[in-house]
Amino acid sequence: MDRLVTWITDNKIPVGDWMAALVEFIKDNTLSFFDILAASIGFVVDGFTSVLEWVPEPLLIVALTVGAYALRRSLGLAAFVAFSLLFVLNQGYWNATMETLSLVLFSALLSTAIGVPLGIAAAHRPWLFQALRPVLDLMQTLPTFVYLLPTLVLFGLGTVPGLISTVIFALPAPVRLTHLGITSVPRPLIEAGEAFGATRRQLLWKVELPSARPTIFAGITQCIMLSLSMVVIAALVGAGGLGVPVVRALNQVNVGMGFEAGFAIVLVAIVLDRISRPPERSHPQ
């Protein structure tokens, strides 16, 4: 038995060496592509962050409050948005919050733009979902620091590796829930559309997507929350935002700073969750 264990440990499969060689191969042969990609993404994200920081704080608070009311028609939510932003401004984390919002919105937008079409395709092609399932499982269970390393090697320090890592972490949510929503469409609805001569495109836009809309929106909301949960990880590679004071507080054992930044993150999470939720359907009396 001991010989068997010794033989197994002595004949280690070089998984780590294979992955390191793969990353180095990609870096050596596509470095210019990743440089261009990093510069483009960094320009857009940093530019949007600069715009948010350029707008006077009171004006932006009013605009976001009015926007929240226009979207949800809720005075309570609008008041909570105003309170949250005023609290962030009072605590001195305004610029960090704008950086976090920019990172979260762009990562959620990229994850949604990739995940929703991929989920639709997987729902219509079972073989594709079977192929995607182990990849999605790997993306959801692999520790974030593991795939943070190759993104750091390929893109360097800054916003871009944090954004790419966040997209990888959040992408499975819209894929899975979009697939669930499309596959859960009642069969009689599909048959009724086919009976009226609807094409596959018409079935998708007129039947499947409206029926799966709540589930798809739930996936987008979960995607936003997962993106926000990555702010501390992204700060470790120079992405900025509210994760920076959290990391600094951890290094300095500064309990006060940690709670201040933590409360700011919680308030931003609640605001984004309430705004991104699908509207509740009114049931007939």
Side-chain angles (χ1 to χ4, degrees):
M1 188 65 66
D2 291 339
R3 289 183 179 180
L4 177 61
V5 173
T6 302
W7 181 85
I8 293 175
T9 55
D10 289 342
N11 293 273
K12 178 182 176 181
I13 301 175
V15 176
D17 295 337
W18 291 343
M19 296 306 298
L22 176 62
V23 172
E24 286 298 324
F25 175 80
I26 295 174
K27 179 182 176 182
D28 294 338
N29 292 274
T30 58
L31 186 60
S32 58
F33 167 75
F34 284 108
D35 288 341
I36 295 173
L37 183 62
S40 303
I41 296 176
F43 176 78
V44 174
V45 177
D46 294 340
F48 183 70
T49 303
S50 299
V51 171
L52 290 178
E53 294 175 349
W54 173 77
V55 178
E57 290 87 345
L59 181 61
L60 189 56
I61 291 174
V62 172
L64 292 176
T65 302
V66 172
Y69 177 77
L71 285 173
R72 310 302 300 182
R73 297 297 179 182
S74 171
L75 288 175
L77 177 60
F80 182 77
V81 170
F83 164 77
S84 301
L85 295 175
L86 288 172
F87 176 83
V88 167
L89 180 62
N90 173 262
Q91 296 298 304
Y93 293 105
W94 182 263
N95 288 341
T97 301
M98 296 302 103
E99 293 174 358
T100 295
L101 277 176
S102 180
L103 178 65
V104 169
L105 291 177
F106 272 94
S107 59
L109 180 63
L110 282 175
S111 299
T112 301
I114 298 172
V116 172
L118 198 57
I120 293 173
H124 291 154
R125 299 168 179 83
W127 63 266
L128 178 59
F129 183 70
Q130 292 299 323
L132 285 175
R133 180 180 293 177
V135 179
L136 297 176
D137 292 339
L138 181 66
M139 292 168 66
Q140 287 183 305
T141 56
L142 195 67
T144 53
F145 287 101
V146 174
Y147 54 74
L148 197 63
L149 290 172
T151 57
L152 186 61
V153 171
L154 295 174
F155 296 102
L157 286 172
T159 304
V160 179
L163 178 67
I164 299 299
S165 300
T166 302
V167 169
I168 295 173
F169 182 70
L171 183 60
V175 175
R176 288 186 183 277
L177 287 176
T178 300
H179 172 269
L180 176 63
I182 297 296
T183 54
S184 299
V185 175
R187 185 61 193 171
L189 288 180
I190 303 293
E191 293 174 350
E194 292 174 344
F196 281 99
T199 63
R200 294 184 62 181
R201 185 184 298 272
Q202 290 172 332
L203 283 175
L204 174 63
W205 289 99
K206 301 295 185 180
V207 178
E208 294 178 336
L209 288 179
S211 178
R213 181 169 171 263
T215 308
I216 295 174
F217 265 95
I220 295 174
T221 301
Q222 187 175 355
C223 177
I224 294 174
M225 294 299 101
L226 290 171
S227 299
L228 187 58
S229 69
M230 285 288 291
V231 293
V232 177
I233 304 297
L236 295 176
V237 293
L242 290 170
V244 173
V246 174
V247 174
R248 187 178 298 125
L250 182 62
N251 292 332
Q252 300 174 358
V253 198
N254 189 330
V255 178
M257 181 188 298
F259 272 97
E260 290 172 357
F263 282 136
I265 293 174
V266 169
L267 291 175
V268 171
I270 294 174
V271 168
L272 292 176
D273 175 68
R274 297 298 185 272
I275 291 178
S276 62
R277 282 185 179 182
E280 297 180 359
R281 295 180 176 178
S282 58
H283 299 281
Q285 300 293 330

